[in-house]
Amino acid sequence: QKEVEQNSGPLSVPEGAIASLNCTYSDRGSQSFFWYRQYSGKSPELIMSIYSNGDKEDGRFTAQLNKASQYVSLLIRDSQPSDSATYLCAVTDWWSGGGADGLTFGKGTHLIIQP
Amino acid sequence: DGGITQSPKYLFRKEGQNVTLSCEQNLNHDAMYWYRQDPGQGLRLIYYSQIVNDFQKGDIAEGYSVSREKKESFPLTVTSAQKNPTAFYLCASSPSPGLAGEEVNNEQFFGPGTRLTVL
């Protein structure tokens, strides 16, 4: 059974600081890693994808992947109140039987940015 | 406008009824997925389809059925056999991944969701 673990929070961060979200996964065969943001009552919105070890930056967001440690993280710089949401980590094997399987999700970390 | 649409936004079902949730996409994506989300929980995979006229069971397929007759459409039926159907249902789609070893894009994009409540 594939598992993805996240600290449920809430994680409270002052406005303008760096928010650090972490995720571990159980399946060493996982190849694709995603971070989604979900506002209350809404559907998840993809904010970052990462496939190789190291860092990937997109605006205020940086995803970090360490496959040896089976660890994925998301950094949000200059945190804004609008970043307050639940952040879902998701993983998948990108090649299985001819196509992409579904994602395995963690339960999410609730992030609160304090003005 | 390119995107994924789901209907209805809210759906109420009586005990013993089957209901069908609609999912349509005009992104020309090959793969489509159905997930369910319960309060305070992550998403769990119900069914997925990588190509027209083919689909596979996910982790929690019991009590659900799907069809994929068109590339654009992937409806989900919640049958009376599903014992606890009240949940937030999310449809997603993804471009077809490349061959092994090539750069891959298997990002999944979600529709707005359908909230199903059993009365």
Side-chain angles (χ1 to χ4, degrees):
Chain A
Q1 182 76 5
K2 300 175 184 178
E3 292 183 347
V4 176
E5 299 289 340
Q6 296 181 254
N7 188 322
S8 62
L11 174 64
S12 186
V13 174
E15 183 176 358
I18 296 175
S20 178
L21 304 163
N22 304 315
C23 169
T24 59
Y25 59 95
S26 63
D27 183 8
R28 285 196 171 274
S30 298
Q31 297 289 339
S32 303
F33 307 87
F34 308 93
W35 284 100
Y36 287 84
R37 177 175 64 199
Q38 186 175 28
Y39 293 114
S40 181
K42 302 296 185 182
S43 64
E45 174 192 8
L46 179 67
I47 54 173
M48 288 291 286
S49 59
I50 186 167
Y51 303 98
S52 304
N53 279 329
D55 295 359
K56 179 182 178 183
E57 185 174 321
D58 184 1
R60 295 188 297 112
F61 298 99
T62 298
Q64 299 175 317
L65 174 61
N66 184 327
K67 290 185 179 180
S69 299
Q70 296 176 241
Y71 179 89
V72 192
S73 65
L74 179 70
L75 302 178
I76 306 174
R77 291 181 298 281
D78 188 24
S79 297
Q80 304 296 312
S82 59
D83 295 326
S84 297
T86 296
Y87 288 80
L88 301 170
C89 175
V91 306
T92 191
D93 303 328
W94 69 266
W95 184 252
S96 175
D101 291 344
L103 299 174
T104 300
F105 282 84
K107 294 182 179 181
T109 297
H110 184 205
L111 175 65
I112 299 172
I113 305 301
Q114 294 180 322
Chain B
D1 268 344
I4 305 169
T5 58
Q6 292 186 243
S7 62
K9 185 174 181 180
Y10 298 97
L11 184 58
F12 298 91
R13 192 195 91 171
K14 293 181 180 179
E15 294 276 356
Q17 278 185 336
N18 293 354
V19 292
T20 297
L21 283 57
S22 169
C23 178
E24 304 277 334
Q25 56 97 2
N26 60 6
L27 300 168
N28 199 33
H29 286 172
D30 288 306
M32 296 186 74
Y33 308 82
W34 275 105
Y35 296 87
R36 134 178 205 154
Q37 186 176 33
D38 294 282
Q41 301 294 313
L43 281 68
R44 291 183 291 166
L45 181 66
I46 304 173
Y47 268 99
Y48 63 104
S49 169
Q50 295 164 352
I51 196 169
V52 174
N53 292 324
D54 188 41
F55 48 82
Q56 287 80 39
K57 293 181 179 180
D59 299 321
I60 55 165
E62 184 175 354
Y64 300 98
S65 65
V66 294
S67 63
R68 186 85 186 277
E69 298 177 358
K70 298 186 301 182
K71 186 176 184 177
E72 301 80 15
S73 179
F74 191 41
L76 174 74
T77 297
V78 184
T79 75
S80 57
Q82 170 49 235
K83 298 305 179 187
N84 186 21
T86 294
F88 189 33
Y89 288 87
L90 292 154
C91 178
S93 70
S94 174
S96 180
L99 297 175
E102 294 180 3
E103 182 68 18
V104 63
N105 178 359
N106 59 345
E107 296 173 338
Q108 292 187 19
F109 301 93
F110 285 86
T114 293
R115 286 198 185 277
L116 173 63
T117 302
V118 174
L119 302 174

